Amino acid sequence: MSARADIHENAAWAAARPAVSVLMPFLRDDPTDLLAALETEAASLRGAVEVIVLDDGTADIALTQRLTAQIDAMALPVRLITLPANEGRAIGRNRLAGSARAGSLLFLDSDMRPDHPNFLRDWAALVANSDPAVAFGGFSLLQAPTDARFQVHRALAAKSECVPCAERAKQPEKYVYTSNLLVRRDVFESEAFDPGFTGWGWEDVEWAMRVSRRFAVVHVDNPATHMGLDTVAALAGKYEQSAPNFGRMVQRHPEVVAAYPSYRVAKLLKRLPGLHLLRRGLRGGAEADWLPVATRAFSLRLYRAALYADAV
């Protein structure tokens, strides 16, 4: 651990002997609702699950104080790591894993909400019964906001991320996201996240490509809702950040990425003259709230592919 990190643990931390470590990074989010949801299972878990929260440079003293007070009152064993500056998604998750004590690591984003009251117990039972190398529990939109400004993201997520367990299992390495992902410690120690991925996107998919060559990736039905839906403008900004990461993934796994629709479309768009003008028009179409949601979602998918055209 870096000397710059401030570490706070609650009273339950020292005596716990966890089998599962929940690893929860956040940046400028408020994880208090998720912590409260997990705490409802504390009595039945009896120290079998610990939670490690990483504030990756939010620099919000009031939030840190609220979090510390909440954690001190929790029966779940919890450690809070507060960083003064952002280190990034890949490095942050590697840091969380290094702080964990359990044999299995559950990566859970702070904007997720369990979809049923036995969420942690089901993960702990899976570890006790079969101890999988890698298991993904799935996404849903069950509790996600239904505001009109999030309709495009909701449509995109419903199509590409909220995939039933049986469908995910057909392409196990493709449907792996660190928002609800269980990884056995020895697997993570042999294949950590690539710190060369910076900003937003693709570090978890690239990691899964490497891991799936050596270990079985299983899919289970233990979903959580992705609460953090974005506006079109915010999502487009994330896509812009993700283009270099997509290019890095193409360089490392060309044979796998070649089968991705986003790659094939990006290669086609790369041949078009005036690509920068096309990108502007596609983003404008995605942001036009008078168009049907399906049309806007399609335009945003094409905008992402047009961004990726520079990276393939």
Side-chain angles (χ1 to χ4, degrees):
M1 303 298 293
S2 167
R4 297 183 302 121
D6 181 77
I7 299 175
H8 178 82
E9 299 160 357
N10 67 1
W13 178 268
R17 298 295 179 265
V20 177
S21 295
V22 179
L23 308 182
M24 188 191 305
F26 76 93
L27 174 63
R28 292 186 292 274
D29 288 325
D30 186 341
T32 54
D33 286 346
L34 177 54
L35 285 172
L38 299 180
E39 175 69 0
T40 63
E41 298 190 61
S44 61
L45 291 167
R46 299 180 180 179
V49 176
E50 68 179 10
V51 180
I52 306 174
V53 184
L54 175 71
D55 180 348
D56 195 8
T58 301
D60 184 335
I61 295 174
L63 176 58
T64 301
Q65 291 173 341
R66 289 201 312 275
L67 264 178
T68 301
Q70 180 183 18
I71 287 168
D72 285 345
M74 291 176 67
L76 279 173
V78 185
R79 166 181 279 176
L80 172 63
I81 304 171
T82 304
L83 301 179
N86 177 253
E87 291 188 341
R89 289 159 60 95
I91 294 174
R93 289 187 173 99
N94 289 341
R95 177 189 281 276
L96 278 165
S99 182
R101 299 178 294 180
S104 289
L105 316 174
L106 176 61
F107 292 93
L108 187 65
D109 281 354
S110 61
D111 60 359
M112 302 296 285
R113 298 293 181 274
D115 281 345
H116 62 92
N118 299 324
F119 178 75
L120 291 181
R121 278 170 283 180
D122 283 359
W123 278 124
L126 181 69
V127 169
N129 294 331
S130 59
D131 197 22
V134 181
F136 181 63
F139 273 160
S140 88
L141 294 169
L142 185 64
Q143 306 170 70
T146 57
D147 309 40
R149 61 198 175 112
F150 301 135
Q151 285 182 332
V152 172
H153 194 180
R154 175 179 274 273
L156 290 170
K159 182 178 178 63
S160 62
E161 296 176 354
C162 301
V163 180
C165 182
E167 290 300 311
R168 286 186 269 122
K170 294 176 182 178
Q171 291 181 283
E173 81 290 338
K174 182 177 181 180
Y175 297 103
V176 171
Y177 309 102
T178 48
S179 49
N180 186 16
L181 179 68
L182 186 81
V183 185
R184 205 171 58 218
R185 175 180 291 279
D186 64 294
V187 175
F188 193 82
E189 288 176 347
S190 65
E191 294 284 358
F193 290 105
D194 180 357
F197 284 81
T198 58
W200 184 87
W202 297 108
E203 78 284 346
D204 43 9
V205 177
E206 189 279 332
W207 175 86
M209 290 177 184
R210 283 184 279 121
V211 167
S212 64
R213 293 170 179 166
R214 302 174 56 190
F215 303 96
V217 177
V218 301
H219 286 266
V220 298
D221 190 18
N222 192 14
T225 294
H226 178 211
M227 301 292 291
L229 297 182
D230 287 314
T231 63
V232 169
L235 199 56
K238 288 181 176 179
Y239 289 165
E240 290 157 10
Q241 286 183 43
S242 75
N245 285 353
F246 187 80
R248 184 176 180 86
M249 187 174 65
V250 171
Q251 291 176 350
R252 301 197 66 178
H253 309 278
E255 72 291 346
V256 179
V257 182
Y260 282 22
S262 53
Y263 174 83
R264 294 198 297 267
V265 175
K267 291 288 284 186
L268 289 172
L269 293 176
K270 189 178 184 69
R271 303 173 188 171
L272 297 180
L275 184 57
H276 67 289
L277 295 176
L278 175 63
R279 278 196 288 255
R280 187 183 305 170
L282 290 170
R283 176 161 179 167
E287 293 180 325
D289 56 12
W290 52 271
L291 287 174
V293 170
T295 302
R296 297 173 66 196
F298 180 70
S299 186
L300 191 56
R301 283 197 298 270
L302 280 182
Y303 176 68
R304 181 177 62 178
L307 290 169
Y308 292 175
D310 289 338
V312 300

